[in-house]
Amino acid sequence: MSIPHFRNADPNSPEPVTFQILQQRKHTGRPIAALTAYDYATARLVDEAGIDLILVGDSLAQVVLGYDNTLPVTVEEMLHHTRAVRRAVRRAIVAADMPWGSYHVSVAEGVANAVRFVKEAGAQAVKIEGGASRAELVEALSAAEIPVIGHLGLTPQSVHRMGGYRVQGKTPAAVSALLHDAHTLEAAGAVMMVLEGMPREVAARITGEVGIPTIGIGAGPDCDGQILVIHDLVNLSFARPAKFVRQYGDAAALFRTAIEGYRRDVEGRAFPDDAESYHLSKEVASALESPEMRRKA
Ligand code: KIV
């Protein structure tokens, strides 16, 4: 197996973000900005924009690979995309989502798969969904020196059990269960947790009670940071945006205009023009016109 080259030795590279830095931000109150990315080009833009944490989310199953939900994406596919992101990123932390099935059979298999994300793709952390039921795995991963990001609330890998993508934590019993899950993840060694699809009040309560940073998505503004799926942010998801999504740009419109313009120009012979073409040198061009070359042809 070849050893991948993850980071260049450019002395001008910006100071890399660490989990220690993000932990301090919980106390200084400066929010953590996180986003997903799945490929080299996007990850470069996200990193260069100063985003602190880049998640190679299993949402790529839907927004990149076109599946209906996140369940079909494989470890191999996640590794492939994590490597591409890793090659692009100089400053942000790169975390990889463990896909469904890669940590559900046994703790040993979960650790073995997580090791692949670090060793073969250069991930600095893995994210797993679930609370108290994952405590043993979080402990084992932490013991293996792999930083773990938890994920509570609306956990998309539980879509069938939840009966769809529904906001979680809406009853007193459900809130107690979420608080228990959050404390259990922290005690097991998680370095951070994503809070997805839950009432703002519940996310605020968890954020106030745990000592590690919380990163919200559809969980209101009181978390220690926020994350969104980049395709939602730039209107590339081909889906009605969820209530919590704010679109900051319209890449679909940009792409459509560019692609339609290209098609029109090709069909009208307006592309390429002479300036966009390579040319023979004058000498070769006139040699080609000589009677001798013409006779050969
Ligand atoms: O897969 C994903 O993109 C995620 C988040 C956005 C938290 O899990």
Side-chain angles (χ1 to χ4, degrees):
M1 189 177 61
S2 67
I3 311 261
H5 175 79
F6 297 127
R7 214 176 259 279
N8 75 11
D10 180 355
N12 298 320
S13 276
E15 194 59 34
V17 180
T18 62
F19 280 111
Q20 287 71 19
I21 290 172
L22 297 188
Q23 178 62 42
Q24 284 163 15
R25 303 261 290 269
K26 172 137 190 131
H27 305 294
T28 61
R30 184 175 149 210
I32 297 163
L35 265 182
T36 67
Y38 317 99
D39 62 69
Y40 180 85
T42 316
R44 268 198 78 148
L45 296 174
V46 171
D47 191 40
E48 288 170 12
I51 293 296
D52 302 306
L53 183 138
I54 298 180
L55 173 69
V56 186
D58 63 352
S59 49
L60 78 82
Q62 291 160 290
V63 297
V64 176
L65 302 179
Y67 290 116
D68 284 341
N69 56 46
T70 59
L71 303 183
V73 73
T74 64
V75 169
E76 296 306 327
E77 287 166 330
M78 291 299 301
L79 285 169
H80 173 80
H81 286 273
T82 305
R83 283 187 204 106
V85 168
R86 177 68 282 172
R87 285 190 285 268
V89 174
R90 295 286 167 267
R91 176 183 170 273
I93 289 178
V94 174
D97 233 347
M98 300 272 291
W100 178 69
S102 68
Y103 59 96
H104 300 76
V105 177
S106 68
V107 168
E109 196 173 297
V111 174
N113 280 322
V115 165
R116 292 193 67 193
F117 279 100
V118 177
K119 197 183 276 292
E120 296 177 35
Q124 290 153 284
V126 295
K127 178 169 82 57
I128 60 173
E129 296 185 5
S133 63
R134 304 280 170 244
E136 209 191 326
L137 176 60
V138 175
E139 275 171 18
L141 291 169
S142 307
E145 316 301 345
I146 300 176
V148 184
I149 302 174
H151 187 159
L152 294 177
L154 192 170
T155 45
Q157 293 175 5
S158 320
V159 58
H160 297 317
R161 190 172 51 72
M162 292 183 304
Y165 298 110
R166 296 173 197 288
V167 173
Q168 303 292 300
K170 298 213 290 194
T171 64
V175 174
S176 297
L178 280 173
L179 284 166
H180 174 66
D181 282 340
H183 285 292
T184 308
L185 284 179
E186 181 180 12
V191 294
M192 175 178 279
M193 66 183 82
V194 169
L195 303 180
E196 176 165 359
M198 65 178 69
R200 169 181 182 171
E201 297 77 8
V202 179
R205 173 100 185 255
I206 295 173
T207 302
E209 286 195 15
V210 297
I212 56 176
T214 61
I215 307 293
I217 172 165
D222 309 304
C223 297
D224 299 306
Q226 298 291 328
I227 186 164
L228 281 177
V229 168
I230 181 119
H231 287 56
D232 290 340
L233 189 89
V234 298
N235 187 28
L236 268 187
S237 302
F238 300 95
R240 199 162 58 86
K243 176 190 170 100
F244 60 81
V245 168
R246 189 181 294 176
Q247 275 176 3
Y248 285 86
D250 192 351
L254 191 82
F255 272 59
R256 279 203 175 96
T257 306
I259 295 163
E260 283 164 15
Y262 167 75
R263 179 181 54 75
R264 262 196 314 276
D265 282 357
V266 170
E267 289 176 359
R269 295 203 177 278
F271 175 82
D273 64 17
D274 189 59
E276 288 154 339
S277 307
Y278 296 105
H279 290 275
L280 286 172
S281 66
K282 283 205 179 90
E283 296 72 33
V284 175
S286 66
L288 281 179
E289 292 305 316
S290 69
E292 191 187 331
M293 284 299 282
R294 282 176 175 275
R295 261 198 310 280
K296 278 191 189 153

